């Protein structure tokens, strides 16, 4: 590395991982380094905000955090679409320029593979912002019949979200005065709603039973027949529906697949250091195969580990801290109450989860989680 110029770090993706990583680098190194953060969008949106938009609790514009508000010493955030990644050369091609790096971090998240589930693109999904916005207009037209939340593959982002969706749908239909005329089902490829925390899963199953929500575990939606309004599960079972709310199969974006970095749809990494098989190339967030859930708080934890490693290398002293695989997830139980689960993936021989009963008080915790990051990254 030449001493005549600043070390260059290129971060692809300004989600939880990219925002936290570049914030930490800026705090530690300031203008001593040259950090470029690249994202194709013009705003950040918390994943949990999509449910708020879908059920009409918040307007789409109210949950957008414009990237133009992100200003950190030593970091420039550019709106670009990444068109190619060369991990050997640590180079990213975009629709407006080529970026070479001493250190390259891929944090482009998980994409949705609609083609993996025939018929899915012809119906509703709530995992994209556009899908949530469309459903905001579709839901008021649903007044009777069978509603189904169907997950098309695992792993998927925010494991509790489908459970939250059916509970919030119950509340929504109650507010509309049509709940008695509707059935709600949840099809999940997992054996329980939150496998690392049996207590959380037990509480969710009790909430489903109390509200008359049917839970079908260890099954995924294999295809959707929109002419007959039938979802076909992976065991051949057919489930008719009047309203289908899908969770698409996930994988890394096509540009990552084309780079050769991925195996079986995800980027292999050392789960504690986030290093890929390429020198000075890291992957954090939903696209990295760490064994932890694909959720923002885990991307944030991985970013902290990578930041400490980079800072140690740049300062040529000390060493980085390992990714601890710990994260806190808030779960909407409906009725204004929120539960919480703290999950630890790496401390013991098996992952463990510490469950906190749903309460109205925990809503303040969740709001603080969002506001603290909004303030930290965007100064608002």
């Amino acid at each position: 590395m030449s001493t005549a110029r600043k070390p260059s770090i290129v971060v692809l993706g300004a989600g939880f991982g990219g925002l936290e990583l570049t914030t930490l680098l800026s705090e530690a190194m300031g203008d001593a380094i040259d950090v470029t953060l690249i994202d194709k969008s013009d705003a950040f949106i918390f994943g949990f905000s999509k449910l708020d938009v879908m059920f009409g609790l918040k307007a789409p514009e109210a949950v957008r955090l414009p990237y133009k508000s992100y200003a950190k010493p030593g970091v420039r955030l550019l709106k670009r679409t990444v068109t190619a990644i060369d991990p050997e050369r640590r180079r990213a091609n975009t629709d407006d320029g080529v970026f070479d790096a001493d250190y390259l971090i891929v944090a482009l998240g998980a994409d949705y593979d609609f083609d993996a589930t025939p018929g899915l693109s012809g119906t509703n999904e709530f995992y994209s912002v556009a899908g949530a916005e469309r459903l905001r207009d579709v839901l008021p037209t649903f007044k009777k019949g069978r509603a189904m939340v169907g997950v098309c593959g695992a792993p998927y982002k925010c494991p509790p979200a489908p459970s939250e969706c059916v509970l919030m749908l119950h509340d929504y239909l109650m507010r509309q005065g049509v709940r008695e005329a509707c059935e709600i089902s949840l099809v999940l490829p997992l054996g329980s709603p939150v496998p690392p925390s049996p207590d959380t899963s037990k509480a969710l199953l009790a909430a489903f039973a109390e509200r008359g929500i049917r839970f079908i575990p260890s099954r995924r939606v294999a295809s959707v027949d929109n002419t007959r309004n039938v979802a076909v599960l992976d065991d051949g079972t057919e489930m008719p529906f009047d309203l289908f709310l899908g969770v698409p199969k996930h994988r890394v974006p096509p540009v990552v697949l084309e780079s050769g970095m991925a195996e079986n749809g995800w980027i292999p990494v050392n789960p504690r250091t986030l290093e890929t098989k390429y020198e000075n190339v890291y992957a954090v967030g939903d696209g990295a195969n760490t064994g932890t859930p694909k959720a923002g708080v885990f991307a944030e934890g991985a970013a902290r580990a990578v930041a400490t490693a980079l800072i140690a290398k740049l300062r040529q002293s000390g060493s980085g801290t390992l990714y601890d695989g710990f994260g806190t997830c808030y779960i909407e139980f409906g009725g204004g109450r929120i539960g919480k689960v703290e999950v630890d993936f790496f401390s013991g021989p098996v992952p463990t989860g510490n469950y906190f009963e749903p309460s109205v008080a925990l809503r303040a915790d969740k709001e603080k989680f969002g506001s603290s990051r909004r303030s930290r990254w965007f100064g608002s």
Side-chain angles (χ1 to χ4, degrees), residues 95-334:
D95 57 351
D96 185 11
V98 177
F99 299 84
D100 291 300
D102 296 311
Y103 301 95
L104 176 66
I105 297 89
V106 179
L108 289 168
D111 253 8
Y112 307 128
D113 187 357
F114 288 94
D115 294 339
T117 308
L120 182 64
S121 59
T123 187
N124 305 300
E125 54 80 21
F126 61 96
Y127 259 54
S128 72
V129 175
E133 288 187 20
R134 279 194 297 271
L135 277 164
R136 181 190 50 171
D137 299 324
V138 169
L139 287 177
T141 69
F142 178 68
K143 301 192 182 298
K144 65 177 181 179
R146 292 160 292 207
M148 175 181 175
V149 173
V151 181
C152 300
Y156 55 89
K157 290 191 275 192
C158 193
S163 298
E164 294 180 294
C165 182
V166 291
L167 293 170
M168 293 176 75
L169 179 60
H170 167 86
D171 278 9
Y172 176 85
L173 296 174
M174 289 289 288
R175 291 195 301 271
Q176 299 292 100
V178 297
R179 177 65 181 96
E180 290 185 3
C182 303
E183 299 174 14
I184 302 175
S185 298
L186 169 61
V187 175
L188 201 68
L190 309 177
S192 62
V194 184
S197 175
D199 287 343
T200 306
S201 293
K202 184 179 176 182
L204 284 167
L205 292 174
F208 297 160
E210 183 184 330
R211 293 161 177 78
I213 296 169
R214 184 184 176 200
F215 178 58
I216 300 102
S218 304
R219 287 284 168 260
R220 66 177 175 85
V221 174
S223 63
V224 182
D225 185 337
N226 291 299
T227 58
R228 295 191 299 137
N229 275 8
V230 167
V232 182
L233 308 190
D234 54 355
D235 64 352
T237 300
E238 293 192 347
M239 289 186 63
F241 62 81
D242 299 289
L243 174 67
F244 182 83
L245 308 174
V247 177
K249 186 174 187 283
H250 288 34
R251 55 155 170 70
V252 290
V255 69
V256 179
L257 292 174
E258 292 158 9
S259 74
M261 294 183 71
E263 292 177 13
N264 299 317
W266 308 104
I267 304 172
V269 294
N270 178 319
R272 305 304 298 274
T273 66
L274 293 309
E275 294 168 301
T276 69
K277 63 183 177 182
Y278 304 96
E279 186 179 4
N280 291 333
V281 178
Y282 299 78
V284 301
D286 295 341
N289 190 5
T290 61
T292 61
K294 299 189 182 303
V297 68
F298 291 97
E300 199 178 271
R304 283 196 292 270
V306 173
T308 62
L310 293 179
I311 291 163
K313 286 184 178 184
L314 294 166
R315 289 177 172 165
Q316 298 182 336
S317 69
S319 60
T321 57
L322 299 177
Y323 172 39
D324 60 9
F326 179 87
T328 299
C329 290
Y330 296 93
I331 304 172
E332 296 278 352
F333 270 78

